[in-house]
Amino acid sequence: MEGLFDTCRVVLFDCDGVLVNSEPISLATLVDVLEHFGAPLSLREVSDRFTGRSSSAPIEYIKEQTGQDVTAAFKPYYYEMLFARYDRDLTKIDQIDDVLAALRARDIAFCISSSSSVERLEKTMQVTGLGPWFEGQVYSADFVENGKPAPDLFLHAADGMGHAPEHTIVIEDSVAGVTAARAAGMKCVGFVGGGHYADDRETACQRLYAAGADIVIDDMANLARAIPA
């Protein structure tokens, strides 16, 4: 990863599966929610279809499968179950504080750029204690018309942070996110160290490279070491 940060002025972090180990919780919860609304999928199918996507994706899937428009009912039902599990089980990704501290010491800006809603991101920051790192620097798919894999969110976040795409690095764990970063003209580091990839990190790594990741890592300590002192 030598030279990765030579022209970097800002880093855009996905949240789920990158900053926090939330994907195993959210995917398992989504399995339960889809079954409740009559559109069951296995955990693997849910992961393949919805990792890195906003809540509109499962809502659209439910409508395709059942004819129901659950737009109003989906989020309250999902979040009640999800947030209870967050309170019990949500943790930060190991070494993420070291990465953020290294970026701050190097005067490289950073923010969150996530498919999650503002409400969900606020809950995540509160439970994990990551909030102080990102005060005023949180960009949600709520802010753009087209979520990942479209580049809109990353372009919006980079613009909001005052930096051009060519000076931006995205940290992503999903194919949709890597695809969005490449479409935005940004470098992308794939991350497969989250719990949702524990059973098959090699395949996840291959998929992120195939989507266009410049490099893929499974340990945030490697990223921290790549940031120049």
Side-chain angles (χ1 to χ4, degrees):
M1 291 196 292
E2 185 176 353
L4 179 66
F5 287 91
D6 286 354
T7 61
C8 178
R9 300 293 179 267
V10 64
V11 177
L12 312 185
F13 287 93
D14 180 40
C15 184
D16 298 295
V18 172
L19 295 174
V20 298
N21 200 22
S22 56
E23 289 291 13
I25 304 170
S26 58
L27 293 172
T29 304
L30 192 50
V31 168
D32 294 339
V33 171
L34 289 170
E35 183 173 1
H36 170 79
F37 285 111
L41 287 172
S42 70
L43 184 61
R44 171 54 61 190
E45 290 170 325
V46 167
S47 178
D48 289 344
R49 282 178 176 270
F50 302 123
T51 297
R53 306 291 298 277
S54 71
S55 61
S56 63
I59 290 171
E60 290 168 5
Y61 176 77
I62 292 167
K63 188 171 185 178
E64 290 171 2
Q65 296 299 308
T66 71
Q68 301 177 78
D69 183 353
V70 299
T71 302
F74 180 88
K75 191 176 287 186
Y77 186 83
Y78 180 39
Y79 279 9
E80 181 179 4
M81 190 181 301
L82 181 68
F83 289 175
R85 295 176 181 182
Y86 273 12
D87 285 333
R88 185 179 67 241
D89 299 325
L90 185 61
T91 59
K92 294 183 286 188
I93 292 291
D94 289 345
Q95 309 298 318
I96 192 60
D97 286 296
D98 293 341
V99 172
L100 299 174
L103 290 171
R104 183 160 290 175
R106 183 68 169 77
D107 200 27
I108 297 174
F110 55 85
C111 67
I112 293 174
S113 301
S114 171
S115 293
S116 289
S117 67
V118 171
E119 181 183 1
R120 182 170 166 181
L121 290 169
E122 288 176 347
K123 179 66 174 180
T124 298
M125 295 297 101
Q126 178 260 314
V127 171
T128 62
L130 284 170
W133 286 113
F134 294 100
E135 290 181 0
Q137 310 296 348
V138 177
Y139 295 86
S140 161
D142 289 352
F143 301 167
V144 295
E145 183 175 354
N146 301 303
K148 304 170 190 177
D152 303 32
L153 176 59
F154 291 144
L155 291 170
H156 174 67
D159 183 65
M161 297 295 289
H163 295 286
E166 59 266 29
H167 298 306
T168 303
I169 294 176
V170 175
I171 316 296
E172 261 290 351
D173 71 313
S174 71
V175 169
V178 173
T179 302
R182 301 309 298 179
M186 300 171 181
K187 290 181 180 178
C188 186
V189 175
F191 179 68
V192 296
H196 56 308
Y197 290 139
D199 292 337
D200 196 354
R201 297 200 196 282
E202 183 175 348
T203 298
C205 181
Q206 292 170 354
R207 292 179 69 188
L208 296 190
Y209 271 124
D214 293 281
I215 192 165
V216 179
I217 61 172
D218 63 3
D219 187 343
M220 282 295 176
N222 293 332
L223 187 61
R225 285 192 291 268
I227 300 166

